[in-house]
mmCIF file of all heavy atoms in Angstrom:
data_model
loop_
_atom_site.group_PDB
_atom_site.id
_atom_site.type_symbol
_atom_site.label_atom_id
_atom_site.label_comp_id
_atom_site.label_asym_id
_atom_site.label_seq_id
_atom_site.Cartn_x
_atom_site.Cartn_y
_atom_site.Cartn_z
ATOM 1 N N MET Z 1 15.629 -15.836 -1.772
ATOM 2 C CA MET Z 1 15.311 -14.926 -0.673
ATOM 3 C C MET Z 1 15.899 -13.556 -0.986
ATOM 4 O O MET Z 1 17.014 -13.453 -1.487
ATOM 5 C CB MET Z 1 15.882 -15.460 0.631
ATOM 6 C CG MET Z 1 15.235 -16.754 1.070
ATOM 7 S SD MET Z 1 15.925 -17.433 2.580
ATOM 8 C CE MET Z 1 15.585 -16.129 3.732
ATOM 9 N N ILE Z 2 15.122 -12.514 -0.695
ATOM 10 C CA ILE Z 2 15.604 -11.152 -0.871
ATOM 11 C C ILE Z 2 15.523 -10.432 0.465
ATOM 12 O O ILE Z 2 14.700 -10.781 1.314
ATOM 13 C CB ILE Z 2 14.816 -10.382 -1.958
ATOM 14 C CG1 ILE Z 2 13.337 -10.239 -1.581
ATOM 15 C CG2 ILE Z 2 14.986 -11.027 -3.315
ATOM 16 C CD1 ILE Z 2 12.562 -9.319 -2.496
ATOM 17 N N PRO Z 3 16.362 -9.432 0.647
ATOM 18 C CA PRO Z 3 16.302 -8.659 1.892
ATOM 19 C C PRO Z 3 14.950 -7.949 2.031
ATOM 20 O O PRO Z 3 14.313 -7.575 1.035
ATOM 21 C CB PRO Z 3 17.432 -7.640 1.750
ATOM 22 C CG PRO Z 3 18.338 -8.201 0.708
ATOM 23 C CD PRO Z 3 17.467 -9.008 -0.208
ATOM 24 N N LEU Z 4 14.537 -7.757 3.256
ATOM 25 C CA LEU Z 4 13.268 -7.097 3.547
ATOM 26 C C LEU Z 4 13.229 -5.689 2.947
ATOM 27 O O LEU Z 4 12.208 -5.258 2.424
ATOM 28 C CB LEU Z 4 13.038 -7.036 5.060
ATOM 29 C CG LEU Z 4 11.735 -6.404 5.509
ATOM 30 C CD1 LEU Z 4 10.537 -7.144 4.939
ATOM 31 C CD2 LEU Z 4 11.662 -6.387 7.032
ATOM 32 N N GLU Z 5 14.341 -4.987 2.994
ATOM 33 C CA GLU Z 5 14.395 -3.623 2.441
ATOM 34 C C GLU Z 5 14.091 -3.627 0.943
ATOM 35 O O GLU Z 5 13.350 -2.772 0.448
ATOM 36 C CB GLU Z 5 15.764 -3.011 2.707
ATOM 37 C CG GLU Z 5 15.897 -1.598 2.187
ATOM 38 C CD GLU Z 5 17.293 -1.021 2.396
ATOM 39 O OE1 GLU Z 5 18.196 -1.734 2.853
ATOM 40 O OE2 GLU Z 5 17.450 0.164 2.087
ATOM 41 N N LEU Z 6 14.642 -4.591 0.219
ATOM 42 C CA LEU Z 6 14.368 -4.683 -1.219
ATOM 43 C C LEU Z 6 12.897 -5.005 -1.456
ATOM 44 O O LEU Z 6 12.249 -4.403 -2.326
ATOM 45 C CB LEU Z 6 15.256 -5.745 -1.863
ATOM 46 C CG LEU Z 6 14.993 -6.065 -3.333
ATOM 47 C CD1 LEU Z 6 15.062 -4.815 -4.197
ATOM 48 C CD2 LEU Z 6 15.961 -7.122 -3.822
ATOM 49 N N PHE Z 7 12.340 -5.930 -0.698
ATOM 50 C CA PHE Z 7 10.923 -6.266 -0.831
ATOM 51 C C PHE Z 7 10.050 -5.045 -0.567
ATOM 52 O O PHE Z 7 9.108 -4.765 -1.316
ATOM 53 C CB PHE Z 7 10.562 -7.399 0.131
ATOM 54 C CG PHE Z 7 9.120 -7.811 0.056
ATOM 55 C CD1 PHE Z 7 8.655 -8.563 -1.006
ATOM 56 C CD2 PHE Z 7 8.234 -7.429 1.048
ATOM 57 C CE1 PHE Z 7 7.323 -8.935 -1.084
ATOM 58 C CE2 PHE Z 7 6.902 -7.796 0.984
ATOM 59 C CZ PHE Z 7 6.449 -8.555 -0.084
ATOM 60 N N ASP Z 8 10.374 -4.305 0.476
ATOM 61 C CA ASP Z 8 9.616 -3.091 0.809
ATOM 62 C C ASP Z 8 9.715 -2.060 -0.316
ATOM 63 O O ASP Z 8 8.714 -1.434 -0.688
ATOM 64 C CB ASP Z 8 10.119 -2.504 2.123
ATOM 65 C CG ASP Z 8 9.281 -1.335 2.584
ATOM 66 O OD1 ASP Z 8 8.043 -1.421 2.494
ATOM 67 O OD2 ASP Z 8 9.875 -0.325 3.034
ATOM 68 N N ASN Z 9 10.907 -1.886 -0.863
ATOM 69 C CA ASN Z 9 11.080 -0.933 -1.969
ATOM 70 C C ASN Z 9 10.283 -1.358 -3.200
ATOM 71 O O ASN Z 9 9.676 -0.523 -3.874
ATOM 72 C CB ASN Z 9 12.552 -0.781 -2.322
ATOM 73 C CG ASN Z 9 13.317 0.004 -1.291
ATOM 74 O OD1 ASN Z 9 12.740 0.764 -0.520
ATOM 75 N ND2 ASN Z 9 14.620 -0.185 -1.240
ATOM 76 N N LEU Z 10 10.283 -2.658 -3.504
ATOM 77 C CA LEU Z 10 9.506 -3.151 -4.640
ATOM 78 C C LEU Z 10 8.011 -2.919 -4.428
ATOM 79 O O LEU Z 10 7.308 -2.479 -5.349
ATOM 80 C CB LEU Z 10 9.782 -4.635 -4.872
ATOM 81 C CG LEU Z 10 11.148 -4.973 -5.469
ATOM 82 C CD1 LEU Z 10 11.424 -6.464 -5.352
ATOM 83 C CD2 LEU Z 10 11.229 -4.524 -6.911
ATOM 84 N N CYS Z 11 7.542 -3.209 -3.229
ATOM 85 C CA CYS Z 11 6.128 -2.967 -2.928
ATOM 86 C C CYS Z 11 5.794 -1.486 -3.023
ATOM 87 O O CYS Z 11 4.751 -1.114 -3.580
ATOM 88 C CB CYS Z 11 5.785 -3.493 -1.534
ATOM 89 S SG CYS Z 11 5.744 -5.290 -1.452
ATOM 90 N N SER Z 12 6.669 -0.648 -2.497
ATOM 91 C CA SER Z 12 6.425 0.792 -2.554
ATOM 92 C C SER Z 12 6.361 1.280 -3.994
ATOM 93 O O SER Z 12 5.529 2.118 -4.342
ATOM 94 C CB SER Z 12 7.534 1.553 -1.818
ATOM 95 O OG SER Z 12 7.497 1.279 -0.451
ATOM 96 N N TYR Z 13 7.230 0.756 -4.825
ATOM 97 C CA TYR Z 13 7.282 1.217 -6.209
ATOM 98 C C TYR Z 13 6.081 0.730 -7.014
ATOM 99 O O TYR Z 13 5.473 1.491 -7.759
ATOM 100 C CB TYR Z 13 8.573 0.743 -6.872
ATOM 101 C CG TYR Z 13 8.757 1.316 -8.253
ATOM 102 C CD1 TYR Z 13 9.261 2.594 -8.434
ATOM 103 C CD2 TYR Z 13 8.403 0.578 -9.379
ATOM 104 C CE1 TYR Z 13 9.414 3.128 -9.697
ATOM 105 C CE2 TYR Z 13 8.555 1.103 -10.647
ATOM 106 C CZ TYR Z 13 9.063 2.382 -10.803
ATOM 107 O OH TYR Z 13 9.215 2.897 -12.061
ATOM 108 N N PHE Z 14 5.745 -0.552 -6.877
ATOM 109 C CA PHE Z 14 4.708 -1.126 -7.728
ATOM 110 C C PHE Z 14 3.300 -1.068 -7.142
ATOM 111 O O PHE Z 14 2.323 -1.027 -7.889
ATOM 112 C CB PHE Z 14 5.048 -2.580 -8.079
ATOM 113 C CG PHE Z 14 6.183 -2.682 -9.045
ATOM 114 C CD1 PHE Z 14 7.433 -3.091 -8.614
ATOM 115 C CD2 PHE Z 14 6.019 -2.351 -10.378
ATOM 116 C CE1 PHE Z 14 8.493 -3.182 -9.502
ATOM 117 C CE2 PHE Z 14 7.072 -2.433 -11.269
ATOM 118 C CZ PHE Z 14 8.316 -2.843 -10.833
ATOM 119 N N LEU Z 15 3.176 -1.085 -5.835
ATOM 120 C CA LEU Z 15 1.841 -1.155 -5.238
ATOM 121 C C LEU Z 15 1.340 0.182 -4.707
ATOM 122 O O LEU Z 15 0.145 0.380 -4.558
ATOM 123 C CB LEU Z 15 1.818 -2.189 -4.115
ATOM 124 C CG LEU Z 15 2.186 -3.606 -4.546
ATOM 125 C CD1 LEU Z 15 2.178 -4.537 -3.348
ATOM 126 C CD2 LEU Z 15 1.240 -4.104 -5.620
ATOM 127 N N ARG Z 16 2.262 1.068 -4.381
ATOM 128 C CA ARG Z 16 1.865 2.388 -3.876
ATOM 129 C C ARG Z 16 2.571 3.460 -4.685
ATOM 130 O O ARG Z 16 3.472 4.140 -4.193
ATOM 131 C CB ARG Z 16 2.255 2.522 -2.401
ATOM 132 C CG ARG Z 16 1.526 1.543 -1.505
ATOM 133 C CD ARG Z 16 2.040 1.661 -0.122
ATOM 134 N NE ARG Z 16 3.382 1.055 -0.124
ATOM 135 C CZ ARG Z 16 3.986 0.591 0.940
ATOM 136 N NH1 ARG Z 16 3.441 0.692 2.102
ATOM 137 N NH2 ARG Z 16 5.178 0.044 0.869
ATOM 138 N N PRO Z 17 2.208 3.587 -5.937
ATOM 139 C CA PRO Z 17 2.917 4.566 -6.768
ATOM 140 C C PRO Z 17 2.754 5.984 -6.238
ATOM 141 O O PRO Z 17 1.686 6.376 -5.800
ATOM 142 C CB PRO Z 17 2.281 4.411 -8.147
ATOM 143 C CG PRO Z 17 1.016 3.700 -7.923
ATOM 144 C CD PRO Z 17 1.135 2.933 -6.635
ATOM 145 N N SER Z 18 3.828 6.680 -6.257
ATOM 146 C CA SER Z 18 3.848 8.056 -5.783
ATOM 147 C C SER Z 18 3.545 8.994 -6.950
ATOM 148 O O SER Z 18 3.990 8.767 -8.070
ATOM 149 C CB SER Z 18 5.234 8.368 -5.217
ATOM 150 O OG SER Z 18 5.356 9.735 -4.961
ATOM 151 N N PRO Z 19 2.806 10.065 -6.688
ATOM 152 C CA PRO Z 19 2.563 11.030 -7.770
ATOM 153 C C PRO Z 19 3.824 11.824 -8.132
ATOM 154 O O PRO Z 19 3.877 12.454 -9.171
ATOM 155 C CB PRO Z 19 1.487 11.945 -7.192
ATOM 156 C CG PRO Z 19 1.589 11.797 -5.720
ATOM 157 C CD PRO Z 19 2.119 10.418 -5.459
ATOM 158 N N ASP Z 20 4.825 11.752 -7.276
ATOM 159 C CA ASP Z 20 6.065 12.488 -7.510
ATOM 160 C C ASP Z 20 7.015 11.642 -8.364
ATOM 161 O O ASP Z 20 7.534 10.623 -7.924
ATOM 162 C CB ASP Z 20 6.723 12.835 -6.169
ATOM 163 C CG ASP Z 20 7.918 13.755 -6.321
ATOM 164 O OD1 ASP Z 20 8.332 14.017 -7.472
ATOM 165 O OD2 ASP Z 20 8.438 14.203 -5.290
ATOM 166 N N VAL Z 21 7.245 12.070 -9.588
ATOM 167 C CA VAL Z 21 8.074 11.324 -10.527
ATOM 168 C C VAL Z 21 9.515 11.237 -10.039
ATOM 169 O O VAL Z 21 10.184 10.212 -10.226
ATOM 170 C CB VAL Z 21 8.006 11.970 -11.930
ATOM 171 C CG1 VAL Z 21 8.957 11.290 -12.891
ATOM 172 C CG2 VAL Z 21 6.590 11.938 -12.454
ATOM 173 N N ASP Z 22 10.034 12.270 -9.390
ATOM 174 C CA ASP Z 22 11.409 12.262 -8.894
ATOM 175 C C ASP Z 22 11.610 11.191 -7.832
ATOM 176 O O ASP Z 22 12.635 10.511 -7.815
ATOM 177 C CB ASP Z 22 11.803 13.631 -8.332
ATOM 178 C CG ASP Z 22 11.924 14.689 -9.426
ATOM 179 O OD1 ASP Z 22 12.194 14.311 -10.578
ATOM 180 O OD2 ASP Z 22 11.745 15.884 -9.106
ATOM 181 N N ILE Z 23 10.640 11.023 -6.945
ATOM 182 C CA ILE Z 23 10.740 10.001 -5.906
ATOM 183 C C ILE Z 23 10.714 8.617 -6.543
ATOM 184 O O ILE Z 23 11.486 7.735 -6.169
ATOM 185 C CB ILE Z 23 9.612 10.158 -4.861
ATOM 186 C CG1 ILE Z 23 9.837 11.430 -4.048
ATOM 187 C CG2 ILE Z 23 9.533 8.937 -3.951
ATOM 188 C CD1 ILE Z 23 8.729 11.756 -3.082
ATOM 189 N N GLU Z 24 9.851 8.426 -7.535
ATOM 190 C CA GLU Z 24 9.786 7.140 -8.220
ATOM 191 C C GLU Z 24 11.094 6.832 -8.937
ATOM 192 O O GLU Z 24 11.566 5.700 -8.906
ATOM 193 C CB GLU Z 24 8.627 7.104 -9.208
ATOM 194 C CG GLU Z 24 7.288 6.904 -8.550
ATOM 195 C CD GLU Z 24 6.182 6.660 -9.556
ATOM 196 O OE1 GLU Z 24 6.465 6.471 -10.757
ATOM 197 O OE2 GLU Z 24 5.021 6.656 -9.128
ATOM 198 N N ALA Z 25 11.688 7.819 -9.564
ATOM 199 C CA ALA Z 25 12.956 7.614 -10.265
ATOM 200 C C ALA Z 25 14.058 7.257 -9.279
ATOM 201 O O ALA Z 25 14.867 6.359 -9.536
ATOM 202 C CB ALA Z 25 13.328 8.856 -11.060
ATOM 203 N N ASP Z 26 14.098 7.952 -8.143
ATOM 204 C CA ASP Z 26 15.102 7.647 -7.120
ATOM 205 C C ASP Z 26 14.900 6.250 -6.556
ATOM 206 O O ASP Z 26 15.860 5.500 -6.354
ATOM 207 C CB ASP Z 26 15.055 8.676 -5.985
ATOM 208 C CG ASP Z 26 15.527 10.051 -6.422
ATOM 209 O OD1 ASP Z 26 16.234 10.146 -7.454
ATOM 210 O OD2 ASP Z 26 15.187 11.035 -5.730
ATOM 211 N N LEU Z 27 13.648 5.889 -6.298
ATOM 212 C CA LEU Z 27 13.338 4.566 -5.768
ATOM 213 C C LEU Z 27 13.709 3.497 -6.780
ATOM 214 O O LEU Z 27 14.235 2.445 -6.432
ATOM 215 C CB LEU Z 27 11.861 4.470 -5.382
ATOM 216 C CG LEU Z 27 11.411 3.204 -4.672
ATOM 217 C CD1 LEU Z 27 12.229 2.968 -3.403
ATOM 218 C CD2 LEU Z 27 9.934 3.286 -4.341
ATOM 219 N N TRP Z 28 13.450 3.774 -8.058
ATOM 220 C CA TRP Z 28 13.818 2.816 -9.096
ATOM 221 C C TRP Z 28 15.330 2.599 -9.117
ATOM 222 O O TRP Z 28 15.786 1.454 -9.276
ATOM 223 C CB TRP Z 28 13.330 3.288 -10.463
ATOM 224 C CG TRP Z 28 13.711 2.325 -11.541
ATOM 225 C CD1 TRP Z 28 14.667 2.484 -12.481
ATOM 226 C CD2 TRP Z 28 13.169 1.018 -11.736
ATOM 227 N NE1 TRP Z 28 14.751 1.363 -13.271
ATOM 228 C CE2 TRP Z 28 13.836 0.450 -12.824
ATOM 229 C CE3 TRP Z 28 12.183 0.283 -11.088
ATOM 230 C CZ2 TRP Z 28 13.555 -0.825 -13.299
ATOM 231 C CZ3 TRP Z 28 11.904 -0.993 -11.558
ATOM 232 C CH2 TRP Z 28 12.583 -1.533 -12.646
ATOM 233 N N ASP Z 29 16.120 3.650 -8.944
ATOM 234 C CA ASP Z 29 17.577 3.510 -8.909
ATOM 235 C C ASP Z 29 18.012 2.647 -7.725
ATOM 236 O O ASP Z 29 18.902 1.803 -7.860
ATOM 237 C CB ASP Z 29 18.253 4.878 -8.827
ATOM 238 C CG ASP Z 29 18.100 5.681 -10.118
ATOM 239 O OD1 ASP Z 29 17.842 5.071 -11.176
ATOM 240 O OD2 ASP Z 29 18.246 6.915 -10.062
ATOM 241 N N VAL Z 30 17.394 2.844 -6.584
ATOM 242 C CA VAL Z 30 17.719 2.045 -5.393
ATOM 243 C C VAL Z 30 17.375 0.580 -5.640
ATOM 244 O O VAL Z 30 18.168 -0.318 -5.341
ATOM 245 C CB VAL Z 30 16.969 2.584 -4.151
ATOM 246 C CG1 VAL Z 30 17.080 1.628 -2.977
ATOM 247 C CG2 VAL Z 30 17.487 3.960 -3.769
ATOM 248 N N ILE Z 31 16.198 0.327 -6.203
ATOM 249 C CA ILE Z 31 15.775 -1.049 -6.495
ATOM 250 C C ILE Z 31 16.735 -1.695 -7.486
ATOM 251 O O ILE Z 31 17.140 -2.849 -7.311
ATOM 252 C CB ILE Z 31 14.325 -1.072 -7.024
ATOM 253 C CG1 ILE Z 31 13.361 -0.695 -5.904
ATOM 254 C CG2 ILE Z 31 13.976 -2.430 -7.615
ATOM 255 C CD1 ILE Z 31 11.933 -0.463 -6.372
ATOM 256 N N ALA Z 32 17.105 -0.978 -8.527
ATOM 257 C CA ALA Z 32 18.019 -1.518 -9.531
ATOM 258 C C ALA Z 32 19.358 -1.881 -8.899
ATOM 259 O O ALA Z 32 19.924 -2.944 -9.198
ATOM 260 C CB ALA Z 32 18.213 -0.519 -10.660
ATOM 261 N N ASP Z 33 19.883 -1.037 -8.020
ATOM 262 C CA ASP Z 33 21.143 -1.329 -7.327
ATOM 263 C C ASP Z 33 21.013 -2.556 -6.432
ATOM 264 O O ASP Z 33 21.901 -3.412 -6.400
ATOM 265 C CB ASP Z 33 21.597 -0.133 -6.486
ATOM 266 C CG ASP Z 33 22.068 1.034 -7.330
ATOM 267 O OD1 ASP Z 33 22.364 0.832 -8.533
ATOM 268 O OD2 ASP Z 33 22.139 2.160 -6.787
ATOM 269 N N GLN Z 34 19.895 -2.656 -5.700
ATOM 270 C CA GLN Z 34 19.691 -3.789 -4.810
ATOM 271 C C GLN Z 34 19.530 -5.091 -5.595
ATOM 272 O O GLN Z 34 20.073 -6.128 -5.210
ATOM 273 C CB GLN Z 34 18.470 -3.556 -3.917
ATOM 274 C CG GLN Z 34 18.689 -2.467 -2.887
ATOM 275 C CD GLN Z 34 17.421 -2.106 -2.137
ATOM 276 O OE1 GLN Z 34 16.312 -2.197 -2.664
ATOM 277 N NE2 GLN Z 34 17.582 -1.691 -0.891
ATOM 278 N N LEU Z 35 18.810 -5.050 -6.701
ATOM 279 C CA LEU Z 35 18.652 -6.246 -7.527
ATOM 280 C C LEU Z 35 19.968 -6.656 -8.166
ATOM 281 O O LEU Z 35 20.286 -7.845 -8.260
ATOM 282 C CB LEU Z 35 17.583 -6.019 -8.600
ATOM 283 C CG LEU Z 35 16.142 -6.013 -8.122
ATOM 284 C CD1 LEU Z 35 15.208 -5.615 -9.262
ATOM 285 C CD2 LEU Z 35 15.740 -7.362 -7.554
ATOM 286 N N SER Z 36 20.743 -5.695 -8.592
ATOM 287 C CA SER Z 36 22.049 -5.987 -9.159
ATOM 288 C C SER Z 36 22.956 -6.648 -8.129
ATOM 289 O O SER Z 36 23.661 -7.618 -8.434
ATOM 290 C CB SER Z 36 22.686 -4.703 -9.688
ATOM 291 O OG SER Z 36 23.957 -4.963 -10.195
ATOM 292 N N SER Z 37 22.920 -6.136 -6.922
ATOM 293 C CA SER Z 37 23.707 -6.722 -5.841
ATOM 294 C C SER Z 37 23.273 -8.151 -5.553
ATOM 295 O O SER Z 37 24.103 -9.047 -5.355
ATOM 296 C CB SER Z 37 23.572 -5.860 -4.586
ATOM 297 O OG SER Z 37 24.238 -6.432 -3.510
ATOM 298 N N LYS Z 38 21.966 -8.394 -5.544
ATOM 299 C CA LYS Z 38 21.442 -9.739 -5.302
ATOM 300 C C LYS Z 38 21.852 -10.680 -6.421
ATOM 301 O O LYS Z 38 22.248 -11.820 -6.179
ATOM 302 C CB LYS Z 38 19.912 -9.688 -5.173
ATOM 303 C CG LYS Z 38 19.274 -11.026 -4.909
ATOM 304 C CD LYS Z 38 19.730 -11.607 -3.591
ATOM 305 C CE LYS Z 38 19.058 -12.936 -3.325
ATOM 306 N NZ LYS Z 38 19.491 -13.524 -2.060
ATOM 307 N N LEU Z 39 21.782 -10.220 -7.657
ATOM 308 C CA LEU Z 39 22.178 -11.049 -8.789
ATOM 309 C C LEU Z 39 23.658 -11.404 -8.709
ATOM 310 O O LEU Z 39 24.041 -12.557 -8.949
ATOM 311 C CB LEU Z 39 21.862 -10.343 -10.107
ATOM 312 C CG LEU Z 39 22.172 -11.125 -11.372
ATOM 313 C CD1 LEU Z 39 21.377 -12.423 -11.414
ATOM 314 C CD2 LEU Z 39 21.866 -10.284 -12.591
ATOM 315 N N ASP Z 40 24.500 -10.448 -8.363
ATOM 316 C CA ASP Z 40 25.936 -10.718 -8.194
ATOM 317 C C ASP Z 40 26.171 -11.776 -7.122
ATOM 318 O O ASP Z 40 26.990 -12.680 -7.297
ATOM 319 C CB ASP Z 40 26.689 -9.436 -7.835
ATOM 320 C CG ASP Z 40 26.762 -8.450 -8.986
ATOM 321 O OD1 ASP Z 40 26.503 -8.845 -10.142
ATOM 322 O OD2 ASP Z 40 27.065 -7.271 -8.725
#
């Protein structure tokens, strides 16, 4: 099970790609932190 926020971020990143590269990079950092926390 993953938190709803992480699921939403994953969907936003992979299913609704933004044309703004900076937003995608920031979102990727958030996802990476959330996944790391879940793995821990």
